[in-house]
Amino acid sequence: MRIRPLALGAALALVPALVLSAGTSRSRKHATGLVRTAKEAKAIAEQETGGKAVSARRIPLNGASGGWEVDVHMPHEERGWRCVIDCDTRTVHTKTHIENPGGKPKEHESPIRIIKGGR
């Protein structure tokens, strides 16, 4: 008969731990490991600059893993950013001002081509 109260006490001691562990959310995934896709690289660059990532391409960078070069469009600004993302550390390695990618065409660059002359 003594075993039964001990088992009941042990079970009651484990209940709060089980309730707390069940309450944690596993749906949120922590960003760890290498940056493997352009989507991940763009998200890191957007978070760093506050703009909209336009393009991303793989580049060789200080080691085996390499990096990503991401062009970021800054709305309402004249210049954008070119960010180099390190695949290993998931951080911005360098950030350089560039002409705003994906913005309005320059005045001397017309989307319509005029051909003079006739038949």
Side-chain angles (χ1 to χ4, degrees), residues 4-25:
R4 190 164 219 149
L6 287 175
L8 182 63
L12 290 176
L14 290 175
V15 169
L18 291 174
V19 170
L20 288 175
S21 67
T24 60
S25 173

Side-chain angles (χ1 to χ4, degrees), residues 47-89:
Q47 185 177 5
E48 175 73 21
T49 61
K52 177 69 178 154
V54 176
S55 66
R57 66 183 187 100
R58 289 285 295 200
I59 59 169
L61 181 70
N62 68 7
S65 303
W68 289 88
E69 185 178 79
V70 181
D71 290 343
V72 180
H73 173 74
M74 298 298 291
H76 312 295
E77 292 186 28
E78 290 181 18
R79 301 186 71 166
W81 293 100
R82 177 167 289 140
C83 300
V84 175
I85 311 295
D86 188 345
C87 283
D88 295 327
T89 62

Side-chain angles (χ1 to χ4, degrees), residues 73-78 99-111:
H73 173 74
M74 298 298 291
H76 312 295
E77 292 186 28
E78 290 181 18
E99 282 190 37
N100 220 353
K104 296 179 184 176
K106 291 186 177 182
E107 296 168 5
H108 64 275
E109 294 178 7
S110 174

Side-chain angles (χ1 to χ4, degrees), residues 20-60:
L20 288 175
S21 67
T24 60
S25 173
R26 293 189 178 184
S27 63
R28 185 172 159 176
K29 195 174 181 182
H30 292 289
T32 58
L34 300 175
V35 178
R36 296 193 187 275
T37 64
K39 185 176 179 180
E40 290 178 82
K42 286 180 176 183
I44 293 168
E46 287 176 354
Q47 185 177 5
E48 175 73 21
T49 61
K52 177 69 178 154
V54 176
S55 66
R57 66 183 187 100
R58 289 285 295 200
I59 59 169

